[in-house]
Amino acid sequence: MDAIQWINAFIVLIGVPSIAVGLVFVGRKLEVLDSLETSCAGIKHNLKVIGDYLTRHHATFDPSELHALSPLQLTPQGRQFLEELDFDNVVAANKTDFFACIDEEHPKLKYDVETAAIKSIYTLTEKPYMQFLKVFFYNNPERSLENTAATLGVYIRDLYLAEHPEITQ
C-alpha cells in the first residue's frame, strides 16, 4: 500500500502541474490562432478591395463586343466572339466553378455580380478548361485578358442573374 500511495503522490505532484502547464501552452497557441484569424480576415478584406479595384478600373473592353449602356450588354459581335471561342460550352461544362467565384463574393446587387463575374475570368484562368484563352491570346496578340475579361464576364453575369432572380437591383 505504501508504494501505491507513493506512486499516487508522485502522479499528483508531477501530473497536475504538467497538465496545467500543457493547458497554458495550448491556451497560448489558441490565442495565436485567434490573432492569425483576425489578421487573415483583414488581409482577405484588403485583397477583395484590391481585386475589385483592379477588375473595375483596369479592365478595358472592345466597344464592338459590349454596348456601354447601363448595364453593359453584349453586342452581336460580342456574342459571335463568345461562339468563336466556344466559351458558352466552356461555361456550360464548368458553370459551378464560375458561379462559386461569384457566390464567394456574396453579391447583393447586380453591380456586385458583374464585378465578381469579371473577376471569375481572372481567377479561373489557370484552370485546365481555360487554357484555350492562352492559346487564343498567343495567336491574337491584339487581344489580352484585360480586353477580353469584361466580355466573358458580362456573359457569365447574365447567366448568373437569370438563375438568381432575387438579385433585383
Side-chain angles (χ1 to χ4, degrees):
M1 284 271 202
D2 230 2
I4 292 176
Q5 287 177 345
W6 186 83
I7 292 172
N8 190 28
F10 179 77
I11 290 173
V12 169
L13 236 148
I14 301 297
V16 172
S18 296
I19 291 172
V21 167
L23 289 175
V24 168
F25 179 76
V26 169
R28 286 188 179 166
K29 293 298 178 188
L30 290 175
E31 187 178 320
V32 168
L33 288 176
D34 286 342
S35 171
L36 284 174
E37 183 178 355
T38 303
S39 297
C40 286
I43 291 169
K44 183 178 178 183
H45 172 74
N46 290 338
L47 285 175
K48 181 184 178 339
V49 169
I50 292 167
D52 289 350
Y53 175 82
L54 291 174
T55 300
R56 277 282 161 210
H57 298 288
H58 291 280
T60 57
F61 66 89
D62 185 341
S64 70
E65 294 172 356
L66 293 171
H67 288 294
L69 304 172
S70 183
L72 292 172
Q73 297 294 321
L74 288 170
T75 64
Q77 290 101 336
R79 292 194 185 282
Q80 182 181 357
F81 178 65
L82 293 174
E83 288 175 16
E84 288 171 8
L85 286 177
D86 199 32
F87 188 66
D88 51 343
N89 289 322
V90 170
V91 173
N94 301 283
K95 185 169 77 169
T96 54
D97 285 356
F98 288 99
F99 282 18
C101 285
I102 297 170
D103 290 336
E104 285 176 7
E105 302 287 329
H106 306 289
K108 305 280 186 273
L109 305 169
K110 290 179 179 181
Y111 178 87
D112 299 334
V113 172
E114 183 175 292
T115 301
I118 294 169
K119 196 186 305 182
S120 74
I121 302 301
Y122 289 97
T123 302
L124 298 174
T125 300
E126 295 303 319
K127 293 287 187 180
Y129 54 82
M130 294 289 280
Q131 296 301 305
F132 74 95
L133 276 178
K134 292 179 180 178
V135 173
F136 175 77
F137 296 147
Y138 182 79
N139 292 318
N140 298 278
E142 73 283 358
R143 297 305 300 245
S144 67
L145 191 58
E146 288 71 30
N147 64 22
T148 304
T151 302
L152 304 180
V154 165
Y155 176 74
I156 293 167
R157 175 205 67 192
D158 292 344
L159 293 176
Y160 187 89
L161 289 174
E163 290 191 21
H164 291 84
E166 72 278 6
I167 301 175
T168 59
Q169 298 181 356

